[in-house]
Amino acid sequence: MSLSQEYYTAAGKRMPGGVNSPVRAFGGVGGEPIFFEKAKGAYLTDVDGKRYLDYVCGWGPMILGHAHPAVVKAIQECAKEGLCFGTPHPLEIALADKIIDCMPNIEMIRMVNSGTEATLSVLRLARGYTKRQKILKFAGCYHGHHDALLVQAGSGALTFSTPTSSGISPAVIQDTLVAQYNNLDEVSDLFSRFGDTIAAVIVEPVAGNMGCVPPVPGFLHGLRKLCDRYESLLIFDEVITGFRIAKGGAQALYEIKPDLTTLGKIIGGGLPIGAFGGRKDIMEHLAPLGKVYQAGTLSGNPVTMAAGLATLNQLSEPDFYERLNTRTTYLVNKITELAKKAEIPLVINQAGSLFTLFFTTASTVQHLEDVHTSNLASFKCYFHAMLKQGIYLGPSAYECAFVSSSHGEEEIEYTLQAIDKTFSTFLSSIK
Ligand code: KE4
């Protein structure tokens, strides 16, 4: 028995499934989760000393790679001065300024401790501001695990085929409307029926929780126009895309002005974080200024602020995104060539340094129904074949692969060799 297996047995006695977040549990791919204890650059090292090339990157935060010296130093320097004050701290201003400089549609911001907390809070704000109740989301999009949005959700909720979790009161989700991603007709129809009761539309501007599914041309602009017409708010959930696909996030890339934005992951540099922000006239409805209550013991924690600031400063390096996204495009194009050579039906969706392989004969994957045409057996085979070759992918067909700036030419070439071998030997048995 490996040390990882021993840890898994011990963990299972204390934590449901031996994990603190379901998607880590390998439920979507079979086998036992691996326990890791070190990470540096593009690599993870498990408790048995085996090194893996990492394409999970903490599910997004580690865009610089693991344990970046500037980020570690910032955390160490800040921690020496104190960990948790429960008071305002200058670093909260510094990170807020940095985020707002990069994402000017965010006029004011509130720091929280997770993406879930950010979307939970932003919904309350939207309802408080508009005095309306209904929220419109998209099937396969995941906005964290709070009740109102855990309806036909993506990510782990999809992996475990529990699109709507148990334990949720029907009263809570009666105000949650669901449309198909990239389907403006469905959105328009829901607006024509419920328009003046819809507080907000919340959308992942590039969906990252049913695998990577970018918006089709006109989809996001169409949402903006419908929200304007019915005086509902447009919320971009940029917990994944914020500072990932561009310095200004998807809203900069697609030139759309959401009313509110949620962030997380990268802005905390690997420490627990979330944030929401947007139009000043809306944000001023938040306590202590307004009547929409929201609070958090560790919100704006100085050590987290320091980690986030050090990370965003590195992202401001010239050409950072051009280099990262170009390298990802090279990888994706080469994988496409390898799949053609092996005659394996495959659609790869990419957005910046996010990508997902869909083992499907469909020509495109533009929403959850398309995603469901994927061959899950092929994905499991691909996942384990790559794991055997020391490449750690997200253990679910409904997640993205994340590339970091630590993934250099050597890492990319090794990945392509592993995929070539996987396609030519492992997958041929089930294509
Ligand atoms: P957290 O509460 O997990 O910090 O963030 C929730 C969330 C909100 N919005 C989007 C677009 C998200 O992708 C997420 C969380 N992402 C998943 C991975 N796809 C988190 C991984 C996990 O659940 O362990």
Side-chain angles (χ1 to χ4, degrees), residues 290-336:
K291 293 190 168 45
V292 178
Y293 194 71
Q294 188 282 331
T297 303
L298 289 161
S299 296
N301 177 272
V303 183
T304 303
M305 302 293 103
L309 198 53
T311 300
L312 300 194
N313 287 337
Q314 292 295 320
L315 301 180
S316 299
E317 291 296 314
D319 306 332
F320 178 89
Y321 288 96
E322 191 187 331
R323 286 196 307 272
L324 177 61
N325 296 348
T326 302
R327 195 170 299 155
T328 307
T329 301
Y330 171 81
L331 175 60
V332 166
N333 290 343
K334 286 292 182 187
I335 296 172
T336 303

Side-chain angles (χ1 to χ4, degrees), residues 13-268:
K13 293 184 184 124
R14 295 160 177 78
M15 296 172 282
V19 294
N20 280 307
S21 196
V23 75
R24 304 174 192 169
F26 275 40
V29 293
E32 293 183 357
I34 300 169
F35 280 67
F36 291 94
E37 64 180 5
K38 275 191 289 190
K40 184 69 180 163
Y43 295 90
L44 298 168
T45 302
D46 73 11
V47 292
D48 293 289
K50 181 168 182 187
R51 197 168 81 132
Y52 293 80
L53 177 52
D54 178 26
Y55 280 97
V56 176
C57 293
W59 298 107
M62 310 321 290
I63 192 169
L64 299 176
H66 294 285
H68 187 286
V71 179
V72 173
K73 185 169 185 293
I75 291 170
Q76 289 168 333
E77 293 301 309
C78 185
K80 283 191 300 194
E81 303 303 324
L83 298 174
C84 173
F85 302 8
T87 67
H89 189 288
L91 279 171
E92 295 171 87
I93 308 166
L95 184 59
D97 282 348
K98 185 69 183 175
I99 291 170
I100 292 169
D101 286 349
C102 299
M103 303 181 82
N105 294 328
I106 298 175
E107 296 169 348
M108 293 196 92
I109 194 166
R110 169 67 55 91
M111 305 291 178
V112 294
N113 301 283
S114 70
T116 295
E117 199 182 341
T119 59
L120 177 157
S121 308
V122 85
L123 285 201
R124 184 181 309 133
L125 176 61
R127 286 172 162 149
Y129 175 78
T130 61
K131 309 231 181 323
R132 296 178 177 181
Q133 293 315 313
K134 292 210 179 312
I135 297 291
L136 195 159
K137 76 175 289 283
F138 295 90
C141 284
Y142 177 74
H143 304 286
H145 62 85
H146 55 99
D147 288 359
L149 293 177
L150 210 46
V151 179
Q152 294 187 54
S155 186
L158 199 56
T159 304
F160 296 87
S161 65
T162 54
T164 299
S165 167
S166 59
I168 293 178
S169 157
V172 167
I173 56 174
Q174 68 181 13
D175 287 325
T176 305
L177 304 170
V178 184
Q180 186 183 69
Y181 194 78
N182 277 325
N183 189 328
L184 275 178
D185 289 345
E186 281 197 10
V187 179
S188 182
D189 174 57
L190 286 170
F191 263 110
S192 63
R193 289 158 60 197
F194 302 102
D196 60 357
T197 64
I198 296 177
V201 172
I202 185 166
V203 64
E204 291 181 60
V206 172
N209 289 288
M210 48 178 145
C212 175
V213 179
V216 298
F219 175 60
L220 297 177
H221 278 95
L223 294 182
R224 179 68 275 173
K225 278 169 68 179
L226 283 164
C227 286
D228 290 344
R229 184 169 151 204
Y230 289 92
E231 296 181 333
S232 301
L233 299 180
L234 179 58
I235 302 170
F236 270 15
D237 179 352
E238 297 224 39
V239 167
I240 285 184
T241 55
F243 295 95
R244 165 60 63 174
I245 62 173
K247 192 162 76 165
Q251 55 196 266
L253 193 68
Y254 294 103
E255 297 178 345
I256 304 265
K257 183 177 168 51
D259 299 295
L260 295 165
T261 299
T262 52
L263 296 169
K265 297 181 191 276
I266 290 172
I267 65 166

